[in-house]
Amino acid sequence: MTETTIPSVPVALPDGLVLREARPGDLDQIGALLTARGEPADAVDHRLVVEDPDAGWSACAVVVDGDRVVSTATLLDEEIRVGGVRLPAGQVELVATDRAYEGRGLVRALMGWAHDRSAARGHVLQAMIGIPYFYRLFGYEYAIDIPLAPAVRTPPPGEGTPALRPARPSDIPAVTALQNAAQSGFDVAMPHSAARLRWLTAHEASSLWVLERAGAVVATGRTTPPDGRVLLAEAAALDAAAARDLLRGVAALAPGGEVRAVHRAGTVTAAAWAEFQEHEPRERAEQYYVRVPDVAALLDRLRPLLWQRLTAAGADRTGRDIVLSTFGAHYRIPVRADGLGEIATGRAMQAPGSVGGAAVAPDQLPALLFGPHGIDGLSRIRPDVYPGGEELFQTLFPPLTADLLSYYLPY
């Protein structure tokens, strides 16, 4: 991705602190801070990012007190696919602050840096995993369900011993092909980049595995370190036999063979494991955060998808505008014979139904565009979301399935 204008750093903060881009000389201090506030593996993960040419030191910022690193954050490049539209996105990770410097707005300053840099990188949204509520303070809202990870029994023995081994960088093309196939059936998908797959072959917070058959990679998955049980995530397989062999191989890693496997609905692994999974009801909400910094810019990128949905439904609205209000502003999209026109942003609109429009509270917009409820489902649980008086907006904003692959597993 080509950078445009990167935010100006360093930035002077109160009490003589300075926010600046991280440097190689900061590596040990950043690692020590991440270890103290998180896990030792976080320091390894940070080094993998900043020393990789596809990310580099410009992906990380620090706040320093003199020569001392007291806070840090890292911005990763992502791509989120919605239907056939690919959206450049960012994800903030590896955030930590020295306990003695908490409560001084350092994370807020670093999030500002990350969002400015994200915009300069051409990102039209950000997605992340984060601690409850905290990142809502920075414009993030819960939007996309994190899938369940039910317990799964080990399949009966197959022929031979599953050829499960740690993934190597040379396996990345095969892993990517398996993941692309697994994600192809989802409405919303965030894949791993080639750079992150390189990092995942070397980091310590999880293990990336591949399964071979006749010398070819036919399945892959990530596991957490065994602590009485193993979590298997991001499982993808060429066929049912490979999926079952993958599960048997992972079960062999677990003390007592106890495995919980993330359910990827509609995939080869989900079908192959259906009889072995002990499905459980969702006990509490678990969701990814999404931030939409510029509604008009995002809707503009989504115009081809909205047009596709409109035409697939056979809806002829030529010459009539689509109006979506977020109450403090509204967005008007002209419908032409050959597609949707440029989006016009207007002033506050409290009652868009009067012009045949729909409304969504701004904090529910990420859920509308990427979530599992669609505008009709959201309108049943949120009084400040309503789909207007037509089926048009149910067509434009349907419930979506999603599969996101992130640096850290949200479990």
Side-chain angles (χ1 to χ4, degrees):
M1 184 178 295
T2 301
E3 294 187 7
T4 53
T5 304
I6 298 300
S8 177
V9 289
V11 175
L13 302 177
D15 304 319
L17 304 183
V18 175
L19 187 157
R20 60 167 172 78
E21 191 174 286
R23 305 166 183 164
D26 300 322
L27 182 64
D28 290 343
Q29 286 198 65
I30 295 172
L33 178 59
L34 291 171
T35 298
R37 299 310 314 269
E39 302 289 341
D42 295 346
V44 177
D45 296 339
H46 173 264
R47 177 179 57 77
L48 292 169
V49 173
V50 296
E51 293 183 351
D52 191 292
D54 283 355
W57 283 98
S58 64
C60 178
V62 293
V63 175
V64 294
D65 187 354
D67 294 329
R68 180 182 176 188
V69 173
V70 298
S71 192
T72 186
T74 296
L75 177 75
L76 305 178
D77 288 322
E78 304 288 358
E79 181 181 81
I80 295 179
R81 175 187 58 77
V82 187
V85 175
R86 298 183 181 277
L87 303 171
Q91 181 172 191
V92 182
E93 280 288 6
L94 297 163
V95 180
T97 298
D98 188 302
R99 290 187 186 278
Y101 289 78
E102 288 183 331
R104 297 166 68 170
L106 304 190
V107 171
R108 181 170 294 279
L110 284 164
M111 293 300 289
W113 163 84
H115 294 155
D116 288 345
R117 186 176 193 277
S118 190
R121 297 284 287 170
H123 303 160
V124 293
L125 72 159
Q126 293 87 33
M128 71 181 301
I129 304 163
I131 58 178
Y133 178 71
F134 182 68
Y135 289 96
R136 293 178 69 184
L137 298 173
F138 309 113
Y140 289 81
E141 296 297 341
Y142 291 109
I144 301 171
D145 283 351
I146 293 171
L148 295 171
V152 57
R153 303 187 306 278
T154 306
E159 295 182 6
T161 302
L164 190 70
R165 62 167 175 82
R168 301 186 287 258
S170 59
D171 297 317
I172 289 175
V175 170
T176 299
L178 288 168
Q179 293 294 359
N180 287 345
Q183 291 195 313
S184 64
F186 290 91
D187 300 312
V188 179
M190 186 171 79
H192 285 312
S193 65
R196 186 154 65 231
L197 284 171
R198 289 195 298 271
W199 309 337
L200 291 178
T201 63
H203 89 159
E204 299 174 355
S206 67
S207 298
L208 182 64
W209 301 90
V210 295
L211 181 101
E212 288 186 315
R213 180 198 297 157
V217 172
V218 294
T220 184
R222 282 174 76 184
T223 62
T224 54
D227 60 352
R229 70 179 187 188
V230 166
L231 173 76
L232 172 57
E234 300 178 5
L238 181 65
D239 52 37
R244 288 191 290 270
D245 280 346
L246 173 66
L247 186 55
R248 279 191 288 266
V250 169
L253 305 172
E258 183 179 352
V259 177
R260 300 188 76 86
V262 175
H263 183 63
R264 301 177 84 180
T267 63
V268 170
T269 54
W273 300 343
E275 62 184 298
F276 308 111
Q277 284 188 315
E278 300 174 1
H279 286 283
E280 305 161 355
R282 184 178 290 276
E283 295 182 353
R284 59 180 181 176
E286 297 284 356
Q287 293 185 313
Y288 294 95
Y289 281 116
V290 174
R291 177 179 180 266
V292 177
D294 185 330
V295 177
L298 179 56
L299 290 176
D300 182 68
R301 294 294 290 260
L302 291 174
R303 276 191 297 161
L305 176 62
L306 298 178
W307 173 248
Q308 181 185 35
R309 291 172 179 168
L310 195 65
T311 55
D316 183 4
R317 289 182 56 89
T318 303
R320 301 171 62 189
D321 292 348
I322 297 168
V323 178
L324 181 68
S325 171
T326 55
F327 297 103
H330 75 275
Y331 305 90
R332 190 177 293 272
I333 311 174
V335 181
R336 299 171 179 164
D338 58 350
L340 301 183
E342 293 187 4
I343 294 169
T345 303
R347 61 185 182 182
M349 181 179 285
Q350 186 67 32
S354 62
V355 293
V360 56
D363 62 338
Q364 292 299 300
L365 187 67
L368 175 72
L369 298 178
F370 306 104
H373 298 295
I375 196 166
D376 191 47
L378 285 174
S379 71
R380 297 178 185 181
I381 58 176
R382 288 296 302 252
D384 49 10
V385 176
Y386 59 93
E390 317 178 31
E391 294 182 358
L392 167 68
F393 291 95
Q394 296 172 22
T395 297
L396 292 173
F397 304 113
L400 302 177
T401 61
D403 187 77
L404 274 60
L405 307 184
S406 52
Y407 200 6
Y408 293 97
L409 297 172
Y411 298 93

